[in-house]
Amino acid sequence: MSEAIQRIKLCEDVANHIIERIRSQKWAVGTRLPSEPELALLFDVSRSTVRAAVRSLQVAGVLRTRSGSGTYVADAAPLVLETRELATVMSNAENVYSLVQARYILEPQLAALAAKNVEQHEIEELFAILHDMEQHKDRHSLMAHGHRFHESVARFSHNEVLYGFYQSAASSLRGLRVLDSLTLSVFLEGIDEHRAITNAIAAHDDALAKALMRSHLKKDYASYLKRAEILE
């Protein structure tokens, strides 16, 4: 192992040791970390390695430094670490069926919330996306506009937590190219399905919006849902 690679590995090891202490609540939110020399002694590494590890966790939002006071566990550390863990899970291709299942369960609820909470300018934005679908009926454009539509519906739920979960799942599924097997005819049929969902949201009919979104997703992800054993 080269010296440079060894330094990087040591830095990652120290960062992971610090994270584990935060996860276990040994170093809770607001806790002042030991000094740089003390950390170097604790982990049996050089001060420069400790410095690099702490800096990487500061950039990530896990630690924060108070000038003249020291380094502390940031208030947002638990959320940052949970998000990192979720991202690791979602980037694993073996979890594709679980991701589809999560989206199938979550997105109809987001559509229902959007129907309850949507504002007039947001309704107009959905209709603008439908217009773009009608104007650009090639497969690539319809897929892109479909992503815009679903992201917008999730955003218009006005629930930041659920929207964050949706973004993570949807982004991972796009990265795994789950919908690449769908034909142009499926995307063309999807225009009317998206319009029906939009009309339900515009009418503030949460039950209908939920049912239509569920039906739409069931068609697009049928093979994955069947494998996940939740297709009705």
Side-chain angles (χ1 to χ4, degrees), residues 108 111-112 197 205-216:
I197 294 168
D205 189 334
D206 55 307
L208 181 59
K210 178 179 179 179
L212 290 171
M213 181 64 80
R214 187 179 179 88
S215 176
H216 172 64

Side-chain angles (χ1 to χ4, degrees), residues 12-205:
E12 291 175 347
D13 286 345
V14 171
N16 286 333
H17 281 308
I18 293 174
I19 287 172
E20 285 308 310
R21 280 167 169 73
I22 295 172
R23 286 190 191 280
S24 67
Q25 295 291 303
K26 186 172 184 178
W27 292 343
V29 167
T31 299
R32 183 181 183 277
L33 266 63
S35 66
E36 188 177 286
E38 291 171 328
L39 288 173
L41 184 62
L42 176 64
F43 299 128
D44 193 22
V45 294
S46 68
R47 290 180 61 176
S48 62
T49 297
V50 168
R51 196 176 306 120
V54 168
R55 189 180 302 117
S56 71
L57 293 177
Q58 288 172 335
V59 171
V62 176
L63 301 176
R64 61 187 175 87
T65 299
R66 295 178 187 169
S67 181
S69 177
T71 300
Y72 295 79
V73 178
D75 292 345
L79 179 60
V80 170
L81 294 179
E82 287 174 8
T83 302
R84 280 162 57 112
E85 185 173 339
L86 181 63
T88 299
V89 171
M90 289 188 169
S91 65
N92 186 345
E94 294 181 359
N95 292 321
V96 63
Y97 298 104
S98 295
L99 284 169
V100 169
Q101 183 178 24
R103 184 171 179 182
Y104 183 67
I105 293 171
L106 175 63
E107 199 166 353
Q109 301 293 340
L110 287 169
L113 285 173
K116 291 181 178 180
N117 301 324
V118 70
E119 300 176 4
Q120 183 57 40
H121 70 92
E122 295 169 336
I123 293 173
E124 293 169 2
E125 186 174 331
L126 291 177
F127 279 112
I129 296 173
L130 289 174
H131 175 75
D132 289 340
M133 289 181 178
E134 291 286 2
Q135 297 300 310
H136 306 95
K137 292 186 176 180
D138 61 282
R139 187 176 177 281
H140 176 77
S141 296
L142 288 173
M143 181 181 289
H145 294 317
H147 291 327
R148 284 175 55 210
F149 178 87
H150 287 272
E151 185 276 333
S152 296
V153 170
R155 181 159 40 91
F156 298 159
S157 71
H158 294 278
N159 185 307
E160 292 299 320
V161 175
L162 293 180
Y163 175 57
F165 282 125
Y166 165 81
Q167 283 187 306
S168 296
S171 176
S172 296
L173 287 172
R174 286 197 296 273
L176 295 171
R177 307 177 73 88
V178 169
L179 296 180
D180 278 13
S181 62
L182 297 184
T183 63
L184 175 59
S185 63
V186 173
F187 285 106
L188 290 172
E189 291 170 5
I191 297 176
D192 287 337
E193 295 169 8
H194 288 120
R195 181 178 292 105
I197 294 168
T198 299
N199 287 335
I201 291 174
H204 302 288
D205 189 334

